[in-house]
Amino acid sequence: FFQTVASPPSSNFLLLGPSGAGKTAFTTLLEAKSSLASNKSHSTHTSQQSTLVTVTLPPTVPTGSNRYRSVNDPSLKEAIRNPIKYRVKDTPGHGKLRASQGISELQTMSQSKDIKTRLRGVVFMVDTAALVDGATLRDTAAYLHDVLLFLQKRAKNGSSSKRTTEVPVLVAANKQDLFTALPPGAVKEKLEAEIDRIRKSKTKGLLDASADTELEDEEEILGNDEQEAFSFKLLEHEVGVKVDVVGGAVKGDLNEEFGSGVRRWEEWVGMCL
Ligand code: GTP
Ligand code: MG
């Protein structure tokens, strides 16, 4: 006989990113995919509250603890019978709600002592068609900078033995279906360059401020090394916080490169489980 162990939906992911990126559309799609109900798409509107949904990982998506799952693998049968559930918290991206919602959720969820409810990963969603606009790029990079700086401080305060509990970040480069969309590689470069600019102006501000006052508690610089240009690689190397930029689309059709529009993001989620 088989003992069916119901997997509790205990792995939490936090969905962050600026307004209009497609966070609620993504959450709604994951919910529709998880229930066998008809896949009707709901129209979304600007969120003002965070919502928590429980969704299912498609059985064919490998998980971190089961990396080599293939179609012939007996564990696939088990996965179909007993699909892995996880939870996603959708947050509002509006600038005025970030401190009270997105960043605040990040603090609460990442500080959970309970291993069962601890934060497994952050999905930071961006609208890749909107990033050509300078103001949108600055706003997006500023939000991402704050998220990463929080994770850096968290990583440093943790003991070295907790190295493996660093929270990874997926930059979900959404809306790849639009012909005006920047490809993921360009999104990565633009975000890195803009975060570098933010870092530089922060360092300069700190130097100016400390010119006449005692240097009090040292403000941290994202990625530590001020000499080197900022990159997600640098952050991983210096701090241990891993950032991946992966393209996809919640809406519209994509070619095989992306599979179903959100497949590669689900694969990233799977690797965190
Ligand atoms: P806030 O709640 O304000 O933070 O925004 P949000 O990130 O939740 O954005 P939302 O999901 O409401 O999506 C904004 C708009 O983008 C909606 O009109 C979506 O239909 C559209 N959208 C989302 N994903 C895609 C995509 O992959 N491609 C295209 N073309 N449009 C998309
Ligand atoms: Mg929303």
Side-chain angles (χ1 to χ4, degrees):
F1 67 94
F2 295 97
Q3 198 178 4
T4 326
V5 189
S7 68
S10 55
S11 307
N12 291 314
F13 291 82
L14 181 60
L15 193 47
L16 301 173
S19 189
K23 300 181 294 298
T24 305
F26 180 46
T27 313
T28 309
L29 176 69
L30 290 180
E31 271 189 298
K33 274 159 54 82
S34 303
S35 70
L36 293 171
S38 68
N39 199 339
K40 55 169 173 272
S41 75
H42 304 260
S43 65
T44 73
H45 53 269
T46 301
S47 308
Q48 295 188 33
Q49 284 296 323
S50 301
T51 52
L52 184 68
V53 300
T54 300
V55 297
T56 308
L57 194 72
T60 53
V61 171
T63 61
S65 47
N66 191 7
R67 244 166 253 267
Y68 304 107
R69 187 190 283 168
S70 76
V71 266
N72 306 317
D73 197 320
S75 68
L76 181 63
K77 270 194 193 137
E78 169 58 23
I80 291 167
R81 202 155 43 98
N82 190 20
I84 294 166
K85 289 193 166 68
Y86 63 99
R87 293 196 293 194
V88 177
K89 183 157 262 181
D90 177 25
T91 60
H94 190 283
K96 287 186 175 154
L97 299 173
R98 282 175 203 168
S100 63
Q101 305 248 358
I103 296 285
S104 153
E105 290 289 359
L106 179 62
Q107 287 166 344
T108 315
M109 289 173 80
S110 68
Q111 268 146 29
S112 166
K113 291 272 180 289
D114 189 350
I115 190 120
K116 285 211 205 98
T117 57
R118 78 157 210 261
L119 183 64
R120 292 297 180 104
V122 169
V123 178
F124 187 94
M125 188 162 274
V126 301
D127 176 345
T128 57
L131 283 188
V132 284
D133 174 58
T136 306
L137 174 62
R138 281 193 293 280
D139 176 63
T140 304
Y143 192 7
L144 182 57
H145 171 275
D146 292 353
V147 170
L148 296 178
L149 189 60
F150 174 82
L151 292 176
Q152 170 171 316
K153 287 178 176 164
R154 178 182 177 275
K156 282 195 176 162
N157 292 337
S159 70
S160 55
S161 62
K162 288 198 301 186
R163 203 90 186 121
T164 49
T165 67
E166 252 55 294
V167 175
V169 177
L170 170 70
V171 175
N174 192 26
K175 308 201 187 180
Q176 288 292 312
D177 58 301
L178 299 176
F179 84 99
T180 48
L182 287 173
V187 169
K188 176 169 169 288
E189 279 169 23
K190 274 190 180 286
L191 287 174
E192 287 177 336
E194 192 56 41
I195 287 175
D196 194 50
R197 232 163 272 148
I198 294 168
R199 264 178 12 140
K200 285 212 176 81
S201 61
K202 244 189 108 182
T203 323
K204 193 174 173 297
L206 290 172
L207 289 176
D208 293 348
S210 61
D212 41 31
T213 53
E214 287 276 308
L215 219 139
E216 287 166 23
D217 69 340
E218 209 182 310
E219 241 326 307
E220 268 182 50
I221 294 298
L222 188 64
N224 295 336
D225 190 342
E226 299 143 46
Q227 308 306 320
E228 211 176 314
F230 178 80
S231 66
F232 297 134
K233 254 238 145 58
L234 174 76
L235 186 69
E236 182 177 354
H237 187 254
E238 288 281 329
V239 190
V241 173
K242 202 171 181 324
V243 182
D244 286 307
V245 182
V246 179
V250 176
K251 309 241 151 164
D253 292 321
L254 289 180
N255 52 28
E256 305 84 65
E257 196 191 334
F258 294 105
S260 116
V262 301
R263 172 77 185 194
R264 292 181 54 196
W265 301 337
E266 290 182 313
E267 286 171 356
W268 182 89
V269 166
M271 282 304 160
C272 297
L273 295 173

